[in-house]
């Protein structure tokens, strides 16, 4: 009987070998979602941007755009990211995010992901700021609310 | 809802368990003895084969079991080193592990040339891992290296398998392992991808297999257990 099971096991193990397929599921995101709120009315605040710049990047974000919320990529090369928001009315606001970056290999085929942990507000010049959700787990949830 | 892999695993657990259950039903007596009958030393042929076949993997495992009639006390020790090359980076893990546990033999007493068993194991690993990569995104190109040494991990296993006598003291056998309860040291520097002896660290459960070649050393045959409880 044991010999039969030994042979049976050989077949089963061959079948099971396909269970090691790569799974490209990511556990988080490297995008921070920021919403603007009118402090006096506690309602959405629509801002007209000239542009938004991120320190360390040559890219321009939200150029000539009007919106009440923004989504920005986190700089995974650093643990701090100063953001400058230039508005159509000539004013500009600054916000610096601080966080930890922990890399994780998903698989050889899927590559790396970066887990952003412990998001905090290092500095800002808005009227007030609320850290709504410091965990960057999806690309929908608002992480930071900026009041002015 | 179960994904395809989860369904497949459940089916396989049931299918793998069937012959063991069949054997268990044939047992109508349980022998108790605290006198060891034999000791078997083994080497994992599957790990050795993979090590020879793959340049990016070194995996060696030794095993030993002491047989007390229906009870087998098991101890495994292994070393593993693995490189995982991906686009713009390399992950490396190296370390050692051991497992300790016991199996219950389901084989009938008169069948001395084979063992069918199921059991439990506790596994523990100690390893170093490192990750080097280049990222090119809107913040430019960045090259980073992270190393975390002395990471500890532990897990449990449900085991099942068989061992058959091939020739004189030589036995062959395989062990199927359903691994679960993985815990490892959390790090704010690097999240491990592989745990030696377990597999992928982010898998809550994992399958493992070993093919062993054993050398069996029987103890004094005159001291075999006489007590049989029905």
């Amino acid at each position: 009987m044991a010999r039969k099971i030994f042979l049976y096991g050989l077949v089963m193990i061959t079948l099971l070998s396909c269970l090691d397929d790569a799974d490209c599921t990511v556990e988080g995101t490297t995008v921070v979602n920021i919403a603007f709120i009118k402090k006096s009315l506690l309602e959405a605040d629509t801002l007209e941007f000239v542009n938004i710049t991120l320190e360390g990047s040559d890219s321009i974000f939200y150029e000539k755009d009007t919106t009440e919320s923004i989504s920005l990529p986190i700089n995974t090369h650093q643990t701090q990211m100063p953001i400058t928001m230039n508005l159509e009315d000539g004013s500009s606001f600054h916000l610096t995010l601080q966080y930890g970056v922990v890399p994780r290999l998903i698989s050889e085929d899927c590559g790396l992901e970066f887990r952003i942990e412990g998001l905090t507000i290092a500095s800002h010049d808005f009227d007030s700021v609320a850290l709504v959700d410091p965990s960057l787990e999806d690309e929908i949830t608002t992480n930071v609310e900026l009041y002015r | 809802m179960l994904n395809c892999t989860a369904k497949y695993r459940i089916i396989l657990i049931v299918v793998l368990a069937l012959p063991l259950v069949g054997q268990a039903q044939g047992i109508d007596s349980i022998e108790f003895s605290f006198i060891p009958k034999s000791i078997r030393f083994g080497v994992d042929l599957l790990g050795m084969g993979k090590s020879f076949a793959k340049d990016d993997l070194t995996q060696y495992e030794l095993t030993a079991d002491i047989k007390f009639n229906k009870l087998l006390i098991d101890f495994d020790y292994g070393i593993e080193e693995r490189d995982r090359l991906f686009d713009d980076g390399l992950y490396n893990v190296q370390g050692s592990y051991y497992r300790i546990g016991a199996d219950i033999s389901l084989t009938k007493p008169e069948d001395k040339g084979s063992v069918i068993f199921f059991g439990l194991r506790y596994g523990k690993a100690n390893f170093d891992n490192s990750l080097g990569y280049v990222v090119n995104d809107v913040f430019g190109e960045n090259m980073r290296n992270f190393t975390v040494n002395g990471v500890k991990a532990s897990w449990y296993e449900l085991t099942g398998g068989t061992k058959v006598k091939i020739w004189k003291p030589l036995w062959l056998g395989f062990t199927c392992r359903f691994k679960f309860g993985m815990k490892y040291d959390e790090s704010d520097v690097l999240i491990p991808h592989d745990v030696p002896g377990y597999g992928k660290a982010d898998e809550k459960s994992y399958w493992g297999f070993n093919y062993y070649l054993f050398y069996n050393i029987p103890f004094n045959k005159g001291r075999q257990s006489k007590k049989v409880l029905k």
Side-chain angles (χ1 to χ4, degrees):
Chain A
M1 182 64 183
R3 287 167 199 275
K4 284 180 187 171
I5 293 178
F6 183 75
L7 293 171
Y8 169 83
L10 290 175
V11 175
M12 294 310 297
I13 289 165
T14 307
L15 292 172
L16 283 165
S17 62
C18 67
L19 289 179
D20 209 21
D21 293 341
D23 176 7
C24 290
T25 307
V26 294
E27 295 177 358
T29 173
T30 54
V31 173
V32 62
N33 297 312
I34 300 171
F36 301 100
I37 311 284
K38 286 179 184 168
K39 191 179 179 185
S40 55
L41 302 170
L42 292 180
E43 63 181 31
D45 188 7
T46 304
L47 276 67
E48 292 180 48
F49 291 103
V50 173
N51 60 38
I52 297 175
T53 58
L54 310 178
E55 192 176 288
S57 174
D58 296 332
S59 300
I60 304 291
F61 301 87
Y62 293 92
E63 191 171 12
K64 302 286 183 192
D65 203 345
T66 301
T67 182
E68 55 196 39
S69 66
I70 56 174
S71 298
L72 297 171
I74 291 280
N75 185 350
T76 58
H77 310 179
Q78 306 290 335
T79 56
Q80 193 164 288
M81 184 171 78
I83 304 165
T84 302
M85 303 173 195
N86 299 307
L87 302 185
E88 284 288 357
D89 62 8
S91 63
S92 63
F93 290 93
H94 301 89
L95 170 72
T96 301
L97 301 175
Q98 200 161 357
Y99 44 81
V101 180
V102 187
R104 180 179 85 94
L105 174 64
I106 304 168
S107 72
E108 289 105 318
D109 294 331
C110 307
L112 282 180
E113 78 157 328
F114 296 96
R115 197 177 286 177
I116 307 300
E117 295 182 344
L119 179 71
T120 57
I121 310 295
S123 66
H124 68 91
D125 54 13
F126 286 84
D127 285 351
S128 65
V129 169
L131 187 62
V132 181
D133 185 359
S135 63
L136 276 63
E137 290 177 351
D138 60 65
E139 296 191 2
I140 302 165
T141 308
T142 297
N143 306 110
V144 179
E145 287 179 345
L146 299 177
Y147 296 82
R148 60 167 203 147
Chain B
M1 186 175 166
L2 293 172
N3 61 31
C4 187
T5 303
K7 282 181 189 169
Y8 196 24
R9 284 178 182 177
I10 289 167
I11 291 166
L12 285 169
I13 289 170
V14 172
V15 172
L16 281 169
L18 285 176
L20 303 182
V21 172
Q23 280 293 304
Q25 287 171 343
I27 294 171
D28 55 4
S29 66
I30 299 170
E31 292 178 59
F32 292 96
S33 171
F34 295 103
I35 301 167
K37 303 284 180 183
S38 65
I39 185 165
R40 255 183 300 256
F41 294 99
V43 59
D44 178 27
L45 299 177
L46 198 60
M48 283 176 71
K50 285 185 194 171
S51 301
F52 284 114
K54 294 182 176 182
D55 292 335
D56 56 1
L57 176 68
T58 304
Q59 192 178 57
Y60 296 110
E61 183 176 315
L62 299 173
T63 185
D65 71 71
I66 303 173
K67 188 171 187 284
F68 297 86
N69 278 357
K70 294 287 177 190
L71 181 70
L72 294 104
I73 302 295
D74 295 86
F75 182 79
D76 310 324
Y77 176 81
I79 56 168
E80 188 174 318
E81 180 173 3
R82 185 188 286 268
D83 288 332
R84 290 194 183 271
L85 189 65
F86 58 98
D87 284 348
D88 305 320
L90 177 69
Y91 175 81
N92 171 270
V93 60
Q94 52 186 309
S96 62
Y97 60 92
Y98 69 83
R99 303 186 202 99
I100 190 159
D103 292 322
I104 298 291
S105 171
L106 302 174
T107 321
K108 292 175 183 173
E110 62 270 22
D111 193 0
K112 292 179 178 173
S114 61
V115 177
I116 301 168
F117 63 88
F118 72 92
L120 284 169
R121 299 279 189 284
Y122 171 72
K124 206 164 172 63
N126 192 326
F127 60 97
D128 305 334
N129 65 154
S130 63
L131 176 69
Y133 61 84
V134 177
V135 169
N136 202 342
D137 57 18
V138 294
F139 297 96
E141 188 174 279
N142 186 33
M143 190 168 68
R144 302 291 296 273
N145 278 293
F146 299 95
T147 300
V148 181
N149 294 330
V151 183
K152 289 179 173 58
S154 63
W155 67 94
Y156 298 93
E157 298 179 0
L158 289 172
T159 57
T162 183
K163 297 168 186 178
V164 293
K165 189 176 181 180
I166 301 299
W167 178 75
K168 290 186 176 176
L170 294 182
W171 289 54
L172 271 176
F174 73 81
T175 302
C176 296
R177 305 174 186 280
F178 179 70
K179 308 173 187 184
F180 61 97
M182 162 53 62
K183 286 181 187 170
Y184 57 81
D185 296 343
E186 294 286 339
S187 164
D188 56 1
V189 177
L190 173 63
I191 297 167
H193 182 271
D194 293 278
V195 174
Y198 179 82
K200 289 180 183 170
D202 61 350
E203 295 281 353
K204 289 188 172 66
S205 61
Y206 210 76
W207 281 97
F209 302 97
N210 299 92
Y211 281 111
Y212 293 112
L213 175 66
F214 295 100
Y215 189 90
N216 185 54
I217 303 170
F219 293 134
N220 187 350
K221 290 180 180 175
R223 295 174 65 200
Q224 299 286 317
S225 170
K226 300 285 192 299
K227 189 177 181 184
V228 178
L229 301 179
K230 298 232 176 184

Short mmCIF file of all heavy atoms in Angstrom, two decimals, chain B residues 1 13 27 36 38 44 54-55 62-64 73 83 88 98 102 107 120 125 156 169 176 197 224:
data_model
loop_
_atom_site.label_atom_id
_atom_site.label_comp_id
_atom_site.label_asym_id
_atom_site.label_seq_id
_atom_site.Cartn_x
_atom_site.Cartn_y
_atom_site.Cartn_z
N MET B 1 -15.32 34.61 -2.02
CA MET B 1 -15.26 33.64 -3.12
C MET B 1 -13.83 33.12 -3.27
O MET B 1 -12.87 33.87 -3.19
CB MET B 1 -15.68 34.36 -4.40
CG MET B 1 -15.79 33.43 -5.59
SD MET B 1 -16.44 34.34 -6.99
CE MET B 1 -16.07 33.20 -8.29
N ILE B 13 -6.01 18.81 -0.92
CA ILE B 13 -5.95 18.37 0.48
C ILE B 13 -6.84 17.14 0.67
O ILE B 13 -6.43 16.15 1.26
CB ILE B 13 -6.40 19.50 1.43
CG1 ILE B 13 -5.33 20.59 1.47
CG2 ILE B 13 -6.62 18.96 2.84
CD1 ILE B 13 -5.81 21.85 2.19
N ILE B 27 -6.70 0.05 10.82
CA ILE B 27 -5.95 -0.18 12.05
C ILE B 27 -6.92 -0.49 13.18
O ILE B 27 -7.81 0.29 13.47
CB ILE B 27 -5.10 1.06 12.39
CG1 ILE B 27 -4.04 1.24 11.32
CG2 ILE B 27 -4.46 0.91 13.76
CD1 ILE B 27 -3.31 2.54 11.45
N PRO B 36 12.85 2.98 21.53
CA PRO B 36 12.99 3.29 20.10
C PRO B 36 13.28 2.03 19.29
O PRO B 36 14.07 1.18 19.70
CB PRO B 36 14.16 4.26 20.06
CG PRO B 36 14.87 4.12 21.35
CD PRO B 36 13.89 3.62 22.35
N SER B 38 13.98 2.20 15.79
CA SER B 38 14.99 2.47 14.76
C SER B 38 15.18 3.97 14.64
O SER B 38 14.37 4.76 15.11
CB SER B 38 14.55 1.89 13.41
OG SER B 38 13.39 2.57 12.97
N ASP B 44 17.36 15.27 1.58
CA ASP B 44 16.30 15.67 0.66
C ASP B 44 16.83 15.68 -0.77
O ASP B 44 17.67 16.51 -1.13
CB ASP B 44 15.79 17.06 1.06
CG ASP B 44 14.72 17.57 0.11
OD1 ASP B 44 14.03 16.72 -0.49
OD2 ASP B 44 14.57 18.79 -0.02
N LYS B 54 19.53 24.59 -10.75
CA LYS B 54 19.35 26.03 -10.79
C LYS B 54 20.58 26.75 -10.24
O LYS B 54 21.06 26.40 -9.16
CB LYS B 54 18.13 26.45 -9.97
CG LYS B 54 16.81 25.95 -10.52
CD LYS B 54 15.66 26.45 -9.67
CE LYS B 54 14.33 26.05 -10.25
NZ LYS B 54 13.20 26.57 -9.47
N ASP B 55 21.02 27.76 -10.94
CA ASP B 55 22.18 28.53 -10.49
C ASP B 55 21.82 29.48 -9.35
O ASP B 55 22.69 29.87 -8.57
CB ASP B 55 22.74 29.37 -11.65
CG ASP B 55 23.36 28.49 -12.71
OD1 ASP B 55 23.78 27.37 -12.37
OD2 ASP B 55 23.40 28.92 -13.89
N LEU B 62 18.70 17.94 5.71
CA LEU B 62 18.91 16.65 6.35
C LEU B 62 17.74 16.39 7.28
O LEU B 62 17.16 17.32 7.83
CB LEU B 62 20.22 16.66 7.15
CG LEU B 62 21.50 16.91 6.36
CD1 LEU B 62 22.68 17.07 7.31
CD2 LEU B 62 21.75 15.78 5.37
N THR B 63 17.42 15.13 7.44
CA THR B 63 16.30 14.78 8.31
C THR B 63 16.64 13.55 9.14
O THR B 63 17.52 12.76 8.74
CB THR B 63 15.02 14.54 7.48
OG1 THR B 63 13.92 14.32 8.37
CG2 THR B 63 15.17 13.34 6.57
N ALA B 64 16.00 13.42 10.24
CA ALA B 64 16.16 12.22 11.07
C ALA B 64 14.84 11.93 11.75
O ALA B 64 14.11 12.85 12.11
CB ALA B 64 17.25 12.43 12.11
N ILE B 73 9.35 10.51 15.95
CA ILE B 73 9.81 11.85 16.31
C ILE B 73 10.73 12.32 15.19
O ILE B 73 11.68 11.62 14.83
CB ILE B 73 10.57 11.84 17.65
CG1 ILE B 73 9.68 11.28 18.77
CG2 ILE B 73 11.08 13.23 18.00
CD1 ILE B 73 8.46 12.10 19.09
N ASP B 83 18.64 33.55 -5.00
CA ASP B 83 18.66 34.87 -5.65
C ASP B 83 17.41 34.99 -6.50
O ASP B 83 17.04 34.05 -7.19
CB ASP B 83 19.88 35.00 -6.57
CG ASP B 83 21.17 35.15 -5.79
OD1 ASP B 83 21.12 35.66 -4.66
OD2 ASP B 83 22.22 34.72 -6.30
N ASP B 88 15.81 45.35 -13.17
CA ASP B 88 16.51 46.41 -12.44
C ASP B 88 16.78 46.08 -10.98
O ASP B 88 16.90 46.99 -10.16
CB ASP B 88 15.74 47.74 -12.52
CG ASP B 88 15.45 48.15 -13.94
OD1 ASP B 88 16.35 47.97 -14.79
OD2 ASP B 88 14.34 48.64 -14.20
N TYR B 98 15.07 24.86 10.93
CA TYR B 98 14.85 23.50 11.43
C TYR B 98 13.37 23.29 11.66
O TYR B 98 12.60 24.25 11.78
CB TYR B 98 15.65 23.25 12.73
CG TYR B 98 15.19 24.01 13.93
CD1 TYR B 98 14.13 23.55 14.71
CD2 TYR B 98 15.80 25.20 14.31
CE1 TYR B 98 13.70 24.26 15.82
CE2 TYR B 98 15.38 25.92 15.40
CZ TYR B 98 14.33 25.43 16.17
OH TYR B 98 13.89 26.13 17.25
N ALA B 102 6.25 15.45 15.25
CA ALA B 102 5.99 14.02 15.38
C ALA B 102 4.99 13.57 14.33
O ALA B 102 4.16 14.35 13.88
CB ALA B 102 5.44 13.73 16.77
N THR B 107 0.49 2.62 9.29
CA THR B 107 0.75 1.33 8.67
C THR B 107 0.46 0.20 9.65
O THR B 107 0.68 0.34 10.85
CB THR B 107 2.23 1.26 8.24
OG1 THR B 107 2.60 2.52 7.71
CG2 THR B 107 2.44 0.21 7.17
N LEU B 120 2.53 16.61 12.66
CA LEU B 120 2.66 18.06 12.84
C LEU B 120 4.12 18.45 12.98
O LEU B 120 4.93 17.66 13.47
CB LEU B 120 1.94 18.49 14.13
CG LEU B 120 0.42 18.58 14.11
CD1 LEU B 120 -0.10 18.76 15.54
CD2 LEU B 120 -0.04 19.74 13.24
N ALA B 125 13.13 29.56 11.32
CA ALA B 125 14.20 29.94 10.40
C ALA B 125 14.91 31.19 10.90
O ALA B 125 14.32 32.02 11.60
CB ALA B 125 13.63 30.21 9.00
N TYR B 156 3.98 26.57 11.32
CA TYR B 156 3.55 25.21 11.65
C TYR B 156 3.28 24.44 10.35
O TYR B 156 3.05 25.06 9.31
CB TYR B 156 2.28 25.24 12.49
CG TYR B 156 2.48 25.93 13.82
CD1 TYR B 156 2.20 27.28 13.96
CD2 TYR B 156 2.97 25.23 14.91
CE1 TYR B 156 2.40 27.93 15.16
CE2 TYR B 156 3.18 25.88 16.12
CZ TYR B 156 2.89 27.22 16.25
OH TYR B 156 3.11 27.86 17.43
N PRO B 169 19.26 -1.28 4.16
CA PRO B 169 18.98 -0.15 5.06
C PRO B 169 18.45 1.09 4.34
O PRO B 169 18.18 2.11 4.97
CB PRO B 169 20.35 0.16 5.68
CG PRO B 169 21.32 -0.23 4.63
CD PRO B 169 20.72 -1.36 3.86
N CYS B 176 4.58 15.52 2.24
CA CYS B 176 3.81 16.69 1.79
C CYS B 176 3.60 17.57 3.01
O CYS B 176 3.27 17.06 4.08
CB CYS B 176 2.44 16.28 1.26
SG CYS B 176 2.54 15.27 -0.19
N GLY B 197 13.01 27.32 4.17
CA GLY B 197 12.24 26.23 4.77
C GLY B 197 10.74 26.42 4.67
O GLY B 197 9.98 25.47 4.87
N GLN B 224 12.09 -5.42 21.19
CA GLN B 224 10.85 -4.91 20.61
C GLN B 224 9.72 -4.92 21.63
O GLN B 224 9.69 -5.76 22.53
CB GLN B 224 10.43 -5.78 19.42
CG GLN B 224 11.44 -5.80 18.29
CD GLN B 224 11.44 -4.50 17.49
OE1 GLN B 224 10.40 -3.98 17.19
NE2 GLN B 224 12.60 -3.99 17.19
#
